[in-house]
Amino acid sequence: TSGTIGLATSSTTQLGGVKVDGTSITINGSGVISSTGASLATPTTPGVLYASTITSYCNTFVGYCSGNTTTTGCNNFAGGFRSLVNNTTGNNNIGIGYTALTNNTIGAYNNAQGYQALKSNTTGNHNLAVGYNALCANTGGSCNIANGPSTLNTLTTGNYNIGFGYSSLYYNLTGSCNIGIGTNSLYCSLGTCNIGIGVNAGCCICGGINNTIIGNLPGTQAMCCTLLLGAGSCEKLRIDSSNCVC
């Protein structure tokens, strides 16, 4: 439509954007609202037609204040308490769940499903967050995938990270190009280009970079350029940064 509409009571309480003075209201085939005899007025004037200047389209907002500030953003879907409430010009976003994508303003092509998923996102694009607090702290990071409760929970501006499993990559703040698959995989990792596959894989690596750990192996805090292979928690192969095979 050309704007948003709503209904107010005969008192000064505003419930939305349309007020009627007793004359007819028509909506044409393009969804444009017009009236006979009514004039534009502030929405605090009972009994008078009022139309907003919002030019967004193809949005669906369900839930208290969801999508409340969208002006020109298009093709968004919000379902849940205050989901996408601060969105203004962001396009093609999906926020489902309590405060999902609640701080998004101009970010686009984000998909957040779960309690506070992508809650802090403002300008990040092309993120997928599924689960309780997934990518909760992300503000401007883009192209991240978080699937699982608290996955990538504290990431703020990192890009191209993938986390699958409860609390995988939990403390990663700004690191990029990490892959954590399994509960607590790369839990403390702050570095870049690390891969952890398995429960607790690489969970003790903090500032290390360029590591690959497969199995239930925690690694060490400053580990770099190391390959670890394990059978469960039993280390079977280690190739360190000096290409020493152990």
Side-chain angles (χ1 to χ4, degrees):
T1 65
S2 62
T4 57
I5 65 172
L7 182 65
T9 64
S10 59
S11 67
T12 57
T13 302
Q14 182 191 353
L15 301 179
V18 165
K19 298 185 178 179
V20 186
D21 63 359
T23 57
S24 62
I25 293 178
T26 60
I27 303 176
N28 67 19
S30 299
V32 176
I33 302 170
S34 60
S35 67
T36 303
S39 59
L40 292 175
T42 62
T44 56
T45 305
V48 180
L49 178 66
Y50 172 81
S52 72
T53 58
I54 294 175
T55 57
S56 61
Y57 58 89
C58 295
N59 295 302
T60 302
F61 301 131
V62 181
Y64 178 81
C65 285
S66 64
N68 195 46
T69 59
T70 297
T71 53
T72 60
C74 302
N75 303 312
N76 297 291
F77 179 89
F81 178 88
R82 298 183 66 85
S83 55
L84 275 168
V85 66
N86 292 306
N87 191 68
T88 54
T89 61
N91 300 312
N92 300 287
N93 296 293
I94 298 174
I96 300 175
Y98 180 93
T99 65
L101 276 168
T102 189
N103 288 316
N104 191 76
T105 53
I106 62 174
Y109 298 97
N110 296 293
N111 188 330
Q113 300 180 41
Y115 178 92
Q116 295 189 342
L118 275 167
K119 174 186 176 181
S120 301
N121 191 77
T122 54
T123 60
N125 303 309
H126 300 281
N127 294 294
L128 171 63
V130 179
Y132 174 94
N133 281 342
L135 276 168
C136 179
N138 187 71
T139 54
S142 295
C143 301
N144 297 291
I145 298 174
N147 191 331
S150 299
T151 301
L152 282 161
N153 182 268
T154 58
L155 184 78
T156 54
T157 57
N159 304 307
Y160 307 108
N161 295 290
I162 298 174
F164 278 81
Y166 177 81
S167 293
S168 62
L169 283 160
Y170 184 92
Y171 279 114
N172 188 58
L173 296 175
T174 59
S176 296
C177 303
N178 297 290
I179 299 174
I181 300 176
T183 298
N184 292 333
S185 56
L186 296 175
Y187 183 83
C188 295
S189 176
L190 301 174
T192 60
C193 299
N194 293 298
I195 299 173
I197 301 175
V199 175
N200 296 324
C203 64
C204 290
I205 297 174
C206 291
I209 61 174
N210 299 317
N211 297 291
T212 298
I213 298 178
I214 300 175
N216 186 1
L217 303 171
T220 56
Q221 185 172 358
M223 178 182 288
C224 290
C225 302
T226 298
L227 169 65
L228 289 181
L229 296 179
S233 58
C234 299
E235 183 178 315
K236 295 299 184 179
L237 176 67
R238 175 189 291 257
I239 304 176
D240 62 22
S241 58
S242 62
N243 292 322
C244 177
V245 179
C246 304

